[in-house]
Amino acid sequence: MNDVSRLTSSVYSQALEVIASVEPRIAEATRAELADQRSSLKLIASENYASPAVLMTMGTWFSDKYAEGTVGHRFYAGCQNVDTVESLAAEHARELFGAEYAYVQPHSGIDANLVAFWSILAHRVEGPWLERAEKKNVNELTEEDWEALRKELGNQRLLGMSLDAGGHLTHGFRPNISGKMFHQQQYGTDPATGLLDYDAVAAKAREFKPLVLVAGYSAYPRRVDFAKMREIADEVGATLMVDMAHFAGLVAGKVFTGDEDPVPHAHIVTTTTHKSLRGPRGGMVLATEEYAPSVDRGCPMVLGGPLSHVMAAKAVAFAEARQESFRTYAQQVADNAQSLAQGFLSRGAKLVTGGTDNHLVLLDVSAYGLTGRQAESALLDAGVVTNRNSVPSDPNGAWYTSGVRLGTSALTTRGFGHDEFDTVADLIVHVLENTQPGTTKAGGPSKASYVLGDGVADKVRAASAEMLDKHPLYPGLELS
Ligand SMILES: *Cc1c(COP(=O)(O)O)cnc(C)c1O
């Protein structure tokens, strides 16, 4: 056991004692969560395991500090240490991604997108409107002016990727605020190949003339050509916003470079910090100098006080991601996704787009006569944690779905490589081949219930345990 794991063991053991002295059930749940994460195959594409340094940074008194405003310009006294933390996080982010500006306050990916949307509206709509009206700021507006400006702000268009093609709720999905605050249209993927069709996106953009073109995804297993997306945006006068929430780790780790790196091509890039980037739960906005002043108004525009403890943890995580070892990690995430995809294909499974070239695969489980929901539940019984996901034009809709999304970010952190991911594919196929759809009370086919073959879960758990023991989560961390 090295020094760090010895310290980590004693820090967490003692912290849990302190917590237990107030609410023992929370200490118990925290222990149970570690045990569960250690003993299951975590394949949820949006999850990872942050380092003890990142986790510990979140558990400090920075949590108690209010710091609305920006570095050096706060609406509260006593923010000198928060200023240090926020400056460092932003500096690491700029260096890591080669960005002109970084705003590290958003509390989550959704918050980062809200900041981006309102920044674009402020920069492209409100600013020019005030200039035309010869007003310095919104405080100078009469009620009539205000009504007119609000109408204009509420009358803008957004074009994003549809949910069932792999886009995110915040990319113009009607039930999300992005689909209500904008007139929205969506682009999908080619029905024959499942791939993005840039000509089709361009045609839609020419017709719809969006103010905002959103690129990025949560469930598309391929790389995107952001240079092409920028060309499309420029042609129609749109702002290109790239949401790299899922694949920021592959950008940071220089797996996506050139046209596949969104930062040099987009006006605004948003991300989470906890997915492939392996930081604390949180969000971030990267922007060009042009958009920086409006992005900086995220608080008070759509955010309250920043989570200073999480900004501190972002700084630690970005410092980790700037190390050479993170590049090795990111490349291994992508290589492992290849191994997983090949493992499925060689066993006759069907993948959306026929494979992957990022960190995730989308397995079409209809070939096994199952819905995504049945597959997800049967896999969970066997200790394989995934999430069901729509496939393009999904006949089972967004609740039951026909797919299961699998990502390699988390298990790669544990040290899984090619052989382990080939075994993972084998175990998943074994579960799905031995799962039958159940029947409804009325005797018809059920989309939810299922029957898992005898002994299948035990066999898969035993095979997983062997791999998981070989690649422990937080090696050396032992709770007393
Ligand atoms: C996960 C995700 C988000 C939302 O992140 P939260 O931190 O859960 O709010 C936004 N956009 C995309 C593309 C995502 O994958």
Side-chain angles (χ1 to χ4, degrees):
M1 199 191 289
N2 65 24
D3 284 352
V4 173
S5 51
R6 188 165 41 243
L7 287 172
T8 305
S9 298
S10 87
V11 164
Y12 277 117
S13 297
Q14 293 174 42
L16 286 165
E17 268 182 54
V18 175
I19 296 165
S21 72
V22 181
E23 176 45 290
R25 289 169 297 182
I26 292 298
E28 270 321 296
T30 307
R31 286 172 183 274
E33 181 61 23
L34 178 62
D36 288 353
Q37 293 211 19
R38 280 182 154 169
S39 63
S40 54
L41 284 178
K42 189 200 269 206
L43 288 157
I44 293 182
S46 49
E47 292 188 8
N48 212 327
Y49 306 103
S51 72
V54 168
L55 298 180
M56 285 180 191
T57 310
M58 280 189 280
T60 79
W61 26 92
F62 267 123
S63 172
D64 299 327
K65 189 74 197 94
Y66 245 107
E68 285 178 26
T70 50
V71 175
H73 185 78
R74 304 285 185 188
F75 293 88
Y76 287 79
C79 295
Q80 57 283 359
N81 299 311
V82 179
D83 280 356
T84 304
V85 156
E86 185 169 354
S87 308
L88 276 172
E91 181 189 314
H92 277 311
R94 287 193 307 271
E95 293 291 328
L96 179 61
F97 291 104
E100 290 175 15
Y101 189 76
Y103 184 67
V104 297
Q105 293 193 15
H107 312 333
S108 71
I110 281 207
D111 281 1
N113 286 350
L114 279 178
V115 170
F117 292 145
W118 283 103
S119 305
I120 295 167
L121 288 169
H123 182 68
R124 299 272 321 264
V125 179
E126 185 178 289
W129 196 96
L130 292 173
E131 214 164 281
R132 281 199 305 276
E134 297 183 357
K135 308 278 183 183
K136 272 220 292 291
N137 59 49
V138 287
N139 299 330
E140 295 185 358
L141 301 185
T142 64
E143 278 308 309
E144 260 170 26
D145 291 338
W146 188 230
E147 231 4 70
L149 172 56
R150 271 162 37 90
K151 272 216 184 88
E152 195 145 325
L153 286 168
N155 201 23
Q156 302 299 323
R157 297 181 200 154
L158 174 141
L159 177 61
M161 194 177 198
S162 67
L163 198 62
D164 73 343
H168 190 254
L169 299 167
T170 51
H171 300 180
F173 188 53
R174 273 274 162 77
N176 181 264
I177 188 170
S178 59
K180 302 184 207 289
M181 63 185 262
F182 288 109
H183 300 290
Q184 51 75 259
Q185 279 197 19
Q186 310 247 277
Y187 58 85
T189 45
D190 183 305
T193 61
L195 298 172
L196 260 178
D197 174 350
Y198 296 94
D199 293 336
V201 177
K204 205 153 218 181
R206 276 180 212 122
E207 194 190 323
F208 186 52
K209 297 212 173 20
L211 177 81
V212 190
L213 174 63
V214 183
Y217 53 79
S218 301
Y220 179 65
R222 295 291 174 175
R223 300 184 186 193
V224 174
D225 184 334
F226 296 112
K228 268 197 191 137
M229 294 304 269
R230 175 61 185 257
E231 258 173 52
I232 295 169
D234 283 347
E235 188 192 325
V236 302
T239 298
L240 177 61
M241 167 177 156
V242 176
D243 179 352
M244 64 170 183
H246 251 264
F247 54 88
L250 300 187
V251 179
K254 306 291 179 239
V255 176
F256 293 179
T257 57
D259 294 348
E260 295 165 356
D261 178 351
V263 179
H265 302 292
H267 299 93
I268 293 202
V269 177
T270 59
T271 187
T272 60
T273 50
H274 49 274
K275 298 184 180 175
S276 55
L277 195 49
R278 214 164 60 180
R281 298 202 80 77
M284 174 167 68
V285 181
L286 303 174
T288 54
E289 289 294 352
E290 182 192 356
Y291 281 85
S294 54
V295 167
D296 245 357
R297 287 161 53 199
C299 164
M301 205 157 41
V302 293
L303 301 176
L307 312 178
S308 306
H309 57 311
V310 179
M311 293 197 296
K314 286 172 187 170
V316 172
F318 299 159
E320 288 177 348
R322 289 182 68 189
Q323 293 170 7
E324 191 57 36
S325 57
F326 193 84
R327 290 195 187 193
T328 312
Y329 163 71
Q331 187 58 53
Q332 193 64 49
V333 167
D335 291 349
N336 283 344
Q338 288 297 325
S339 303
L340 184 63
Q342 286 311 318
F344 281 128
L345 295 172
S346 70
R347 290 170 179 86
K350 191 174 153 204
L351 303 180
V352 173
T353 78
T356 176
D357 49 31
N358 55 20
H359 63 296
L360 69 88
V361 301
L362 191 51
L363 178 63
D364 186 339
V365 296
S366 60
Y368 301 99
L370 302 170
T371 63
R373 183 162 163 169
Q374 288 162 331
E376 176 194 85
S377 305
L379 287 167
L380 187 63
D381 289 347
V384 184
V385 189
T386 65
N387 69 286
R388 63 187 187 278
N389 207 101
S390 304
V391 301
S393 312
D394 201 310
N396 287 322
W399 178 251
Y400 293 109
T401 80
S402 305
V404 171
R405 186 184 67 163
L406 307 153
T408 55
S409 304
L411 290 177
T412 302
T413 295
R414 285 183 78 140
F416 276 45
H418 170 83
D419 292 350
E420 286 87 353
F421 273 101
D422 185 64
T423 304
V424 168
D426 189 54
L427 297 176
I428 290 174
V429 168
H430 181 68
V431 170
L432 299 179
E433 282 179 346
N434 288 284
T435 303
Q436 305 297 325
T439 45
T440 60
K441 281 201 192 101
S446 167
K447 289 186 175 193
S449 68
Y450 59 96
V451 183
L452 181 57
D454 278 346
V456 173
D458 287 342
K459 185 180 151 198
V460 169
R461 276 183 189 276
S464 303
E466 213 171 288
M467 294 189 289
L468 293 166
D469 288 348
K470 216 166 95 196
H471 301 286
L473 172 61
Y474 306 126
L477 168 56
E478 283 165 32
L479 298 179
S480 59

